[in-house]
Amino acid sequence: AKPTIVPTTESIAINNATILVEATVEKKYDSKRLKNICRQADFPLSEHIKSKSQCETAIKNGRVFVNRLVAFDTGRVLRENDIVTLVKEGQIQAAGGSSEQVANASVIKFVHEIASTQTPGLSVVIANKPVGVRCVGSFASSTLEMKTQKHYECSRGAEKLFCRPLTKLDTGCAGLCALAISPEPLEQQPDLESLNICYNFTVLVHGQVPETWKDGVYAKVPTKGVRQWKRQKTEDSGADDHDSSITLSTTAIDLDNAIFINSLDVLSISGAEQQDEQCISTLTVSSCHDEGRMANVIPYILRKLGYPVVCDRFAKREYSRLPRKMKNVLKQKICIGLYSLDIEFERVKQTVATEVHKRTQCEFWRNALEQVE
């Protein structure tokens, strides 16, 4: 089936928005993050932004511009002579944008819905979750579960709906998540038993992966639970409580308890911080394992195989050897995302996909680094 693609958010220029204050980044703030610079006492924007929360709110509402383009990323690294502008609240339309564009940059987007043909009111919905949003929980209105329930209660004009997350994507990972919506308690919905989901992650790793990975290899998910990246100790020997080796196989393994790794592209980087040449590789990693925390399990497995994910907190040495140009764009954000789902529901198969983030793509870095040279 043809994938459903989520459109991207276009850049918004400052245009006719009312400017409250504008400042140029001085040398002492070179390579500092936007959220930190804006509230420095000697920086002009601090007159209007007094705290970290105020800064984050202003940025997410589209009020902060860098070099005359809206900046939605609070962690953006600024350089000397960059121009930072704060506009009046509610001026996003005057800036040539819309409130919907602001929402699309930082809020959950509902991108697809699969209605049941057998149970009235039952649907499987696909949401594109940003980093920082928790999937499961009714303890707060900000979780994906509660946001989805509220969204569909409003759109359907229903007084009460039931929502159940089917995807437990890590809070620190962005990507597509499946949820079930129904007017009846979901524990009583046998149609959901026919649901099968394969999660397709895109990952950027350090190193040049073997040629055999182009045809795909399989690796089992650690058997002692999904928290295997923790360095826990056994009572007897004090050694790690897991087998440090990961076995690869070209023979197909059931993806309910395994991952399938496929190499898409490899890039050799010259001019890195160290003299020796560096390589990065773009991979897709697929799995039907749905017990959660796969965005942590996958980096753990790849790290044990000798190809740590770029910006993994356990791969600081590899990160330090990357060119400065890459570091300024990466901003220490781990390069993994869930950008495609293969869904089978009531015997109908389809793929839902969103645009893959550029920082996971070797092709993006190939072009970006060539421009620098």
Side-chain angles (χ1 to χ4, degrees):
K2 187 178 180 180
T4 302
I5 304 295
V6 183
T8 58
T9 303
E10 297 180 357
S11 298
I12 304 170
I14 200 165
N15 294 340
N16 299 319
T18 302
I19 297 175
L20 291 179
V21 62
E22 193 167 64
T24 301
V25 177
E26 298 177 4
K27 185 176 182 179
K28 63 180 179 179
Y29 291 131
D30 183 59
S31 300
K32 301 296 183 183
R33 299 190 186 279
L34 180 61
K35 62 184 177 182
N36 296 326
I37 294 177
C38 287
R39 51 197 177 90
Q40 295 299 315
D42 59 347
F43 197 71
L45 269 69
S46 64
E47 181 180 346
H48 302 273
I49 297 175
K50 305 294 185 181
S51 66
K52 182 179 178 180
S53 61
Q54 287 182 3
C55 180
E56 291 179 345
T57 300
I59 292 172
K60 290 179 179 179
N61 288 339
R63 295 182 59 203
V64 178
F65 291 72
V66 176
N67 298 328
R68 298 283 166 159
L69 292 177
V70 72
F72 287 122
D73 186 358
T74 60
R76 177 170 176 173
V77 175
L78 300 183
R79 303 308 305 270
E80 184 182 2
N81 296 323
D82 279 349
I83 299 173
V84 184
T85 308
L86 179 67
V87 303
K88 190 175 179 180
E89 191 170 357
Q91 290 287 301
I92 191 67
Q93 286 80 9
S98 65
S99 56
E100 182 180 0
Q101 283 178 295
V102 176
N104 285 344
S106 58
V107 180
I108 297 161
K109 293 177 282 187
F110 298 97
V111 301
H112 196 57
E113 180 176 355
I114 308 170
S116 171
T117 58
Q118 302 177 15
T119 305
L122 174 64
S123 293
V124 174
V125 300
I126 310 301
N128 194 5
K129 180 189 81 69
V131 171
V133 175
R134 184 167 179 165
C135 284
V136 183
S138 57
F139 55 87
S141 60
S142 59
T143 64
L144 180 61
E145 179 179 348
M146 297 307 295
K147 287 278 190 180
T148 304
Q149 179 180 323
K150 183 67 175 179
H151 173 82
Y152 280 92
E153 285 175 348
C154 293
S155 64
R156 294 184 181 184
E159 182 177 347
K160 175 67 176 178
L161 290 176
F162 295 88
C163 177
R164 189 177 89 192
L166 305 171
T167 302
K168 301 180 181 69
L169 185 61
D170 308 60
T171 304
C173 183
L176 300 176
C177 300
L179 305 97
I181 286 287
S182 173
E184 302 295 332
L186 288 158
E187 292 76 11
Q188 304 173 13
Q189 299 291 358
D191 287 343
L192 289 177
E193 296 178 2
S194 68
L195 179 69
N196 291 302
I197 304 176
C198 183
Y199 306 99
N200 304 309
F201 290 82
T202 302
V203 189
L204 185 72
V205 300
H206 293 280
Q208 181 175 358
V209 299
E211 285 289 323
T212 54
W213 287 26
K214 288 184 177 180
D215 296 324
V217 291
Y218 294 85
K220 290 185 178 180
V221 172
T223 56
K224 294 184 180 180
V226 297
R227 300 183 68 86
Q228 291 299 305
W229 63 94
K230 295 285 188 182
R231 296 185 60 83
Q232 300 169 350
K233 306 292 183 179
T234 60
E235 294 181 0
D236 297 333
S237 62
D240 290 352
D241 69 342
H242 53 73
D243 183 358
S244 61
S245 64
I246 300 292
T247 303
L248 296 179
S249 172
T250 56
T251 304
I253 302 176
D254 186 359
L255 290 181
D256 285 344
N257 294 298
I259 63 173
F260 177 70
I261 308 170
N262 184 238
S263 173
L264 300 181
D265 197 3
V266 177
L267 172 64
S268 296
I269 304 172
S270 59
E273 298 292 325
Q274 302 294 329
Q275 296 299 317
D276 53 327
E277 189 176 57
Q278 305 298 307
C279 288
I280 53 175
S281 303
T282 297
L283 313 175
T284 57
V285 182
S286 302
S287 180
C288 297
H289 189 81
D290 60 358
E291 295 182 11
R293 303 195 67 84
M294 284 303 292
N296 277 281
V297 174
I298 290 171
Y300 167 81
I301 294 174
L302 292 172
R303 192 165 64 246
K304 289 297 181 183
L305 291 172
Y307 304 100
V309 177
V310 174
C311 292
D312 185 341
R313 63 192 180 96
F314 294 103
K316 292 181 179 178
R317 181 176 59 183
E318 292 84 351
Y319 176 80
S320 68
R321 297 160 65 184
L322 294 175
R324 184 182 180 88
K325 168 69 175 180
M326 286 190 67
K327 295 176 186 176
N328 289 341
V329 177
L330 288 168
K331 294 174 286 191
Q332 297 185 345
K333 294 182 178 179
I334 190 166
C335 295
I336 181 172
L338 179 53
Y339 303 115
S340 174
L341 301 178
D342 296 323
I343 302 173
E344 182 180 0
F345 181 50
E346 295 179 346
R347 298 184 178 180
V348 177
K349 296 181 180 180
Q350 56 185 293
T351 299
V352 180
T354 186
E355 184 179 14
V356 178
H357 198 289
K358 63 184 182 182
R359 67 171 171 260
T360 64
Q361 302 298 296
C362 285
E363 185 61 29
F364 166 76
W365 294 114
R366 187 176 289 114
N367 295 332
L369 296 174
E370 283 178 357
Q371 290 176 6
V372 173
E373 294 174 1

